[in-house]
Amino acid sequence: MLFCLVSAGAFGIEEIIPAAGPGLTLIMLIVLPFIWARPISRLVAEANAVLPREGGIYAWAKETFGEFWGFQAGWWTSMDTYISSGAYIAMVGGYTSQLLALDDAGTFAVKLLVVASFTVINLVGLVEVERISSFFSVLIIIVFGMAAVFGLMNWQTNPFDPIFAAPDAPMACIAESISLGIWMYCGYECIAAMSGEYEDSSHNVARGFRIALPLIALSYILPTLACLAAYPEGSWTAWGIDGGFSDDVLGYGTIFSMVLGRTGVVIFLVIAIMSQCTIYNTYLASGSRSFWVLSEDNLFPKFIRKVDKAGRSPYVGVLTIAISSLIFSQFDFVAIIEMNIIFILARYMFLGFIVVKLRRMYPVENRPADVYSIGGGKWGVRIYSALAFGIATFALCLAPAENFFGTVLFLASGVVAYVVFKRFYGGLACENPEAHPIDPKTRLAVGDMRRIGLFCLIIVGLFVLNLLMNALFL
């Protein structure tokens, strides 16, 4: 499930290559595991080891910084899941339409069938989700291993040439591609949303990351390097997400066509479809728990927490994501990523602060010896937190100034939602009014106006940083 939540194949990298350049794409794929993926995965592993609770980052943020910031983290995670699930269904529809030559109606029927099938699987329970994910993961690793071997056998060009798509504007190349690059290496925290439902969560997540992280990096780097080297010089401009096997569009499937002909194309497309189905399968499981925990704390309508008679699946959450994924699957793939990356980056900016605070609340020396913690003492945590915060902030603010207003609106949606749901449902004060007193004038928790003011200051700071970065780099 870790492999599927984060990766399930190199699909999506095809969009980075013509935007950034082949050399920069490979450099990003090689460097990001060390300065981005590893810090994020280690921070998630420690937070989950200390607080292995249903809801993941929402539970951690609530424990460390209170209800308001906990809600923001839970809202960002939930919105990311509801939006991004549409990207995987959109790719399933695209690959299937090319395999079977479907029209728009046929493509929508395929999307509906996939959504319905995996909704049923998730309603059965997490064991079935894990089994399906394991089966598909093996197939995905095999097919990208084949792509790497076929590409290396047909090496003919320098895969790093050119470094930048536009040599005279290197920062513009980075700005065009960094969101997709980061998106390829995110999703580590999603597994923690289900911490209350699988065995020995505080140990198994950290162990799983040790296997999943290098496997994911290699599944990106090797086939991309090999396929770029196997195609004619200058062909990197023709890479794209739309199939990757035709004469007009290149991608990982092209190498199968070169070596195995039409049979190779069919193999690749079938695995591509399986890959997106696998990610969607695990995201249904993870995302259906996100609003559930908010509802349990009286910060979301109660209907979302309903589970089946066996108590194994929050079926209302699963069904709402299924509907959302059908809606968002009608958007362009890149447009979906541009929407949901804002919520991803926001919670990664916050994650390091959570783990630093957890270290103060639960010192390492007071924890059981077998509970995972980041090595290097306080400096180890600070370095990883700084990398997560710095890269997420850089990526969030390295966007055209005219588009940043949309970013502000997306982030502000969490504050608006908190005020509305707090007023209607009361939040934690409903369960313990003495520990969580409410201001009778605003019906918000005491101190929430200060927190909202701080949030506004952060938004202003990000806006100023966005203007400076546009002036300096773009």
Side-chain angles (χ1 to χ4, degrees):
M1 288 181 70
L2 282 170
F3 177 79
C4 294
L5 282 168
V6 179
S7 172
F11 304 103
I13 293 174
E14 300 100 324
E15 293 291 324
I16 306 176
I17 293 169
L24 180 59
T25 300
L26 288 171
I27 291 170
M28 289 176 65
L29 294 178
I30 294 168
V31 171
L32 283 176
F34 297 98
I35 67 171
W36 173 253
R38 180 174 174 80
I40 294 295
S41 65
R42 297 297 94 187
L43 291 169
V44 169
E46 174 158 343
N48 187 75
V50 177
L51 295 175
R53 298 180 185 174
E54 198 82 356
I57 194 169
Y58 163 70
W60 310 333
K62 182 182 68 173
E63 178 82 8
T64 52
F65 291 100
E67 181 184 75
F68 173 80
W69 290 109
F71 181 89
Q72 301 310 308
W75 180 260
W76 296 333
T77 301
S78 301
M79 294 305 294
D80 163 35
T81 303
Y82 274 72
I83 294 172
S84 64
S85 60
Y88 309 117
I89 298 302
M91 284 197 279
V92 167
Y95 286 126
T96 306
S97 67
Q98 295 175 51
L99 179 63
L100 303 177
L102 300 175
D103 58 13
D104 290 343
T107 301
F108 182 78
V110 168
K111 293 177 181 179
L112 184 61
L113 177 63
V114 170
V115 169
S117 299
F118 286 98
T119 298
V120 171
I121 290 172
N122 270 266
L123 292 177
V124 174
L126 277 183
V127 173
E128 287 70 23
V129 173
E130 183 273 334
R131 287 171 179 166
I132 294 291
S133 300
S134 298
F135 174 73
F136 283 166
S137 295
V138 172
L139 294 180
I140 293 163
I141 292 169
I142 290 173
V143 79
F144 277 101
M146 292 170 64
V149 172
F150 291 161
L152 293 174
M153 289 170 57
N154 292 275
W155 189 297
Q156 58 176 306
T157 59
N158 179 1
F160 285 89
D161 184 35
I163 298 294
F164 298 104
D168 56 337
M171 288 305 300
C173 294
I174 294 175
E176 284 287 328
S177 61
I178 191 167
S179 292
L180 266 174
I182 285 177
W183 184 75
M184 297 301 299
Y185 282 112
C186 69
Y188 295 95
E189 74 291 345
C190 294
I191 197 71
M194 301 169 279
S195 286
E197 298 176 64
Y198 47 80
E199 183 180 353
D200 200 10
S201 166
S202 60
H203 299 92
N204 285 336
V205 168
R207 292 170 183 167
F209 281 146
R210 293 191 185 101
I211 302 170
L213 179 56
L215 196 63
I216 290 164
L218 291 174
S219 74
Y220 290 164
I221 297 166
L222 293 181
T224 306
L225 173 74
C227 289
L228 281 169
Y231 303 155
E233 186 175 352
S235 61
W236 59 271
T237 58
W239 279 64
I241 200 73
D242 299 325
F245 65 92
S246 68
D247 294 333
D248 299 324
V249 181
L250 298 180
Y252 302 104
T254 309
I255 198 68
F256 285 83
S257 178
M258 290 170 55
V259 177
L260 301 176
R262 178 64 185 174
T263 302
V265 171
V266 173
I267 291 173
F268 173 79
L269 286 177
V270 169
I271 298 299
I273 294 166
M274 287 182 175
S275 169
Q276 305 316 309
C277 289
T278 303
I279 303 177
Y280 181 68
N281 183 38
T282 49
Y283 262 77
L284 266 178
S286 172
S288 60
R289 275 78 176 165
S290 53
F291 279 135
W292 181 15
V293 290
L294 291 177
S295 175
E296 287 188 323
D297 286 339
N298 303 300
L299 290 169
F300 206 76
K302 294 182 179 180
F303 70 83
I304 202 75
R305 73 176 83 162
K306 291 183 178 180
V307 296
D308 59 16
K309 293 181 179 180
R312 294 178 298 183
S313 176
Y315 68 89
V316 175
V318 171
L319 292 173
T320 55
I321 293 182
I323 295 169
S324 173
S325 59
L326 271 178
I327 294 171
F328 281 102
S329 68
Q330 307 309 307
F331 289 85
D332 174 73
F333 170 76
V334 175
I336 298 171
I337 302 308
E338 288 175 348
M339 285 188 281
N340 87 293
I341 194 67
I342 295 168
F343 297 110
I344 293 172
L345 294 174
R347 69 173 182 262
Y348 286 153
M349 290 168 65
F350 194 23
L351 179 60
F353 293 99
I354 292 173
V355 179
V356 169
K357 185 72 175 290
L358 283 174
R359 277 285 178 104
R360 296 174 184 171
M361 297 172 64
Y362 304 96
V364 174
E365 56 270 20
N366 295 341
R367 302 176 191 175
D370 59 343
V371 171
Y372 173 81
S373 59
I374 295 170
K378 293 181 179 179
W379 280 107
V381 173
R382 289 171 181 171
I383 291 172
Y384 279 171
S385 299
L387 284 169
F389 175 80
I391 294 173
T393 304
F394 177 82
L396 188 68
C397 293
L398 191 66
E402 60 270 19
N403 295 342
F404 201 73
F405 183 70
T407 299
V408 171
L409 290 179
F410 271 57
L411 294 178
S413 67
V415 176
V416 175
Y418 176 76
V419 172
V420 171
F421 291 133
K422 181 74 173 178
R423 185 170 188 84
F424 277 99
Y425 303 109
L428 296 174
C430 290
E431 305 293 338
N432 192 349
E434 294 182 359
H436 303 278
I438 292 178
D439 186 330
K441 295 181 180 179
T442 62
R443 293 190 58 81
L444 295 174
V446 174
D448 273 346
M449 294 307 296
R450 291 196 303 271
R451 297 182 185 97
I452 293 173
L454 175 61
F455 188 94
C456 292
L457 286 176
I458 292 171
I459 292 295
V460 171
L462 291 174
F463 183 72
V464 171
L465 184 58
N466 173 255
L467 293 176
L468 287 173
M469 291 179 69
N470 271 263
L472 290 173
F473 301 133
L474 303 181

